[in-house]
Amino acid sequence: MKTRILLAALLAAAPAVAHDYGVGALSIAHPYAIETPPNAPVAGGYLEITNAGDADDVLVSASVDEAIAGATQLHRMEMDGGVMRMSEVEGGIPVPAGETVVLQRGGLHVMFMQLVEGLEAGAEVPATLTFRDAGPVEVVFAVETRAEAEARAGGGHDH
Ligand SMILES: [Cu+2]
């Protein structure tokens, strides 16, 4: 009985501990990707970065193991003459002091490219995010179904 209560407490505490990260004054909330077909060549990665410090920083790169993706870039999506275009962000993604930057579908995102296999819901993608000043931090992108990601986006921020 005691064991069961302890286990329940651990399980309840686990998601927040497992899925928020920090380095220096930066905190990184809920990195996730959305499942793809098995042979998809690319997938987006999304997260929120909050800079609680008083100095600006920049997310300069993201990387994952070659066993998962051959290349990883920082991208933005923008409307250009009525067409949605995706391009690499030159010089990285600014994370101004006191602000939260949201990487999300339709906007700034991490792009996993040359995927070795598609991403399956429930899988985890370990990645390194490197900030200009705060340096590198290891995170894990959780691969979610589209419905999971949309439910979370619609229902406020819940880890
Ligand atoms: Cu992209």
Side-chain angles (χ1 to χ4, degrees):
M1 196 63 178
K2 265 184 187 164
T3 309
R4 190 179 292 172
I5 291 166
L6 179 61
L7 188 60
L10 284 172
L11 288 172
V17 174
H19 220 179
D20 287 295
Y21 305 88
V23 58
L26 304 178
S27 55
I28 293 147
H30 198 76
Y32 71 99
I34 294 172
E35 64 179 340
T36 70
N39 56 354
V42 298
Y46 312 102
L47 65 155
E48 292 185 17
I49 307 163
T50 298
N51 184 349
D54 49 19
D56 297 344
D57 207 335
V58 179
L59 174 62
V60 289
S61 66
S63 63
V64 302
D65 195 277
E66 282 180 358
I68 297 173
T72 305
Q73 296 182 348
L74 302 176
H75 278 188
R76 70 158 60 83
M77 286 187 88
E78 286 176 324
M79 291 301 284
D80 177 9
V83 180
M84 202 65 151
R85 283 186 202 285
M86 185 160 72
S87 59
E88 191 168 7
V89 180
E90 301 288 337
I93 296 174
V95 187
E99 291 190 20
T100 295
V101 176
V102 180
L103 279 64
Q104 60 189 341
R105 280 175 297 151
L108 294 164
H109 58 277
V110 174
M111 189 106 240
F112 305 115
M113 309 176 76
Q114 301 162 33
L115 286 177
V116 174
E117 296 176 338
L119 300 180
E120 200 176 332
E124 296 185 328
V125 179
T128 304
L129 304 176
T130 302
F131 294 91
R132 182 191 65 196
D133 300 326
V137 57
E138 310 282 325
V139 304
V140 175
F141 286 83
V143 182
E144 301 180 345
T145 64
R146 188 163 293 274
E148 282 172 334
E150 280 168 4
R152 208 160 30 68
H157 209 83
D158 175 29
H159 304 108

